[in-house]
Amino acid sequence: MLDKLIRKKGGESKAGNAEHPELDETMIPRHVAIIMDGNGRWAKKRSLPRIAGHHEGMKTVRKITREADRLGIKVLTLYAFSTENWKRPKPEVEFLMRLPEEFLGTYLPELVERNVRVRMIGDHAHLPMHTRRAITKAMEATAENDGLILNFAMNYGSRAEITEAVRSIAKAVAENRMSAEDIDESLITGALMTAELPEPDLLIRTSGEVRLSNFMLWQLAYTEFWFTETLWPDFDESRLQEAIAVYQARNRRYGGVDKEDTD
Ligand code: FPP
């Protein structure tokens, strides 16, 4: 099936590799967003504690960041902790809150070297101090980088994000800084935490679950979705390439019709 998706033959390109057909370099999604799911099941299958799955998942974050950079993706948003994940057992939450520290403690030099810029969306203020410190340090250390944006959604919930945007707009109207007639889609887009980012072109969710779980509800309006049974710790370069190949074969019409279908 993937054979059909071959766009170019021969010659190594930035986007291609030996295992997969070459991807069309001109159609690499600018922004890929991933709901990283299945860490717990990965661990359970091996009779390991759930946190072992999260730790393995952290290694996949490194692998996929490198591959996204190699492929020329501009923004990689990873759903690392939702506003609903606080409901998990305390030791699991504490472990998840330590992961940014471990990840950035180990890989920050590599991210700096690769010109990656670390960003975060979500409620920063209510994260534990050590988590906040690790993320702030990484954001500061990479602030001048202009390569791949590695955007962690951490303590993120889309409804909370939209609610906050509505509140800030309502306040501006109440204070006569703008009128209700000035409110349009671009104003709302600009009031979200993703204001400076392009909308995701491709959303990936691993582990066979087919739902959005309060992730980027506004931003995903015209995004292409790709779901895989692969559990996040098993997700790899080859799966990412497969997702992009499927994306490249899709026909994005944004609510319009193809030229040849106009009569
Ligand atoms: C969902 O799997 C996964 C999470 C809630 C955590 C995702 C976090 C990582 C992959 C590591 C993040 C790394 C950094 C550097 C922040 P699940 O536990 O719900 O899996 P299950 O559905 O199989 O139980």
Side-chain angles (χ1 to χ4, degrees):
M1 188 258 192
L2 278 176
D3 285 352
K4 282 197 202 143
L5 306 171
I6 298 175
R7 289 286 190 279
K8 289 183 189 172
K9 284 201 161 57
E12 266 300 302
S13 74
K14 200 182 181 215
N17 81 354
E19 191 187 335
H20 268 269
E22 299 236 353
L23 296 169
D24 182 342
E25 287 174 46
T26 66
M27 282 180 65
I28 297 295
R30 268 206 306 169
H31 184 171
V32 176
I34 307 184
I35 302 176
M36 308 181 288
D37 199 4
N39 294 346
R41 276 163 284 168
W42 183 93
K44 198 170 173 204
K45 270 169 60 179
R46 290 161 179 77
S47 307
L48 294 168
R50 294 177 54 80
I51 58 170
H54 295 316
H55 197 261
E56 200 61 26
M58 183 191 73
K59 296 185 195 161
T60 307
V61 169
R62 182 206 183 195
K63 205 186 289 177
I64 295 308
T65 301
R66 292 173 68 142
E67 182 64 3
D69 182 37
R70 192 186 74 82
L71 290 170
I73 290 166
K74 301 290 179 223
V75 186
L76 178 65
T77 295
L78 301 177
Y79 203 6
F81 193 91
S82 76
T83 44
E84 288 71 37
N85 286 153
W86 296 105
K87 291 184 216 150
R88 294 185 176 218
K90 202 164 172 252
E92 183 175 344
V93 169
E94 281 173 3
F95 188 85
L96 285 168
M97 287 296 151
R98 289 276 169 201
L99 280 183
E101 240 174 315
E102 180 175 346
F103 177 79
L104 295 165
T106 312
Y107 300 122
L108 184 56
E110 180 179 317
L111 296 175
V112 172
E113 197 198 342
R114 286 178 176 269
N115 194 26
V116 172
R117 181 167 175 203
V118 176
R119 284 196 40 149
M120 187 201 128
I121 53 172
D123 178 5
H124 193 252
H126 293 100
L127 289 173
M129 183 60 97
H130 59 86
T131 314
R132 230 185 310 163
R133 207 183 298 125
I135 295 172
T136 304
K137 182 179 164 202
M139 291 197 322
E140 286 173 3
T142 61
E144 301 301 318
N145 290 355
D146 59 4
L148 172 72
I149 294 176
L150 175 58
N151 183 34
F152 286 109
M154 195 79 203
N155 195 17
Y156 174 84
S158 184
R159 288 182 174 179
E161 177 190 35
I162 293 171
T163 304
E164 189 48 44
V166 169
R167 191 176 294 131
S168 71
I169 293 168
K171 196 161 177 267
V173 173
E175 292 170 357
N176 287 320
R177 286 184 278 120
M178 61 185 288
S179 75
E181 285 67 39
D182 295 330
I183 301 171
D184 60 11
E185 291 185 10
S186 72
L187 186 94
I188 296 172
T189 299
L192 299 175
M193 292 164 178
T194 48
E196 288 146 40
L197 304 175
E199 286 174 3
D201 301 295
L202 173 63
L203 170 84
I204 296 172
R205 182 167 189 152
T206 58
S207 90
E209 307 293 352
V210 187
R211 57 178 170 264
L212 287 181
S213 303
N214 201 14
F215 187 52
M216 300 183 101
L217 303 177
W218 177 275
Q219 297 90 335
L220 295 173
Y222 282 102
T223 301
E224 296 295 328
F225 291 4
W226 187 76
F227 299 98
T228 174
E229 295 289 327
T230 305
L231 305 175
W232 177 250
D234 293 328
F235 194 81
D236 61 9
E237 294 88 343
S238 169
R239 283 274 91 81
L240 178 63
Q241 290 165 25
E242 186 185 339
I244 295 173
V246 171
Y247 164 85
Q248 292 190 340
R250 298 242 181 110
N251 179 5
R252 301 183 80 188
R253 291 189 296 276
Y254 300 94
V257 291
D258 290 332
K259 257 205 187 101
E260 62 270 24
D261 291 334
T262 51
D263 40 33

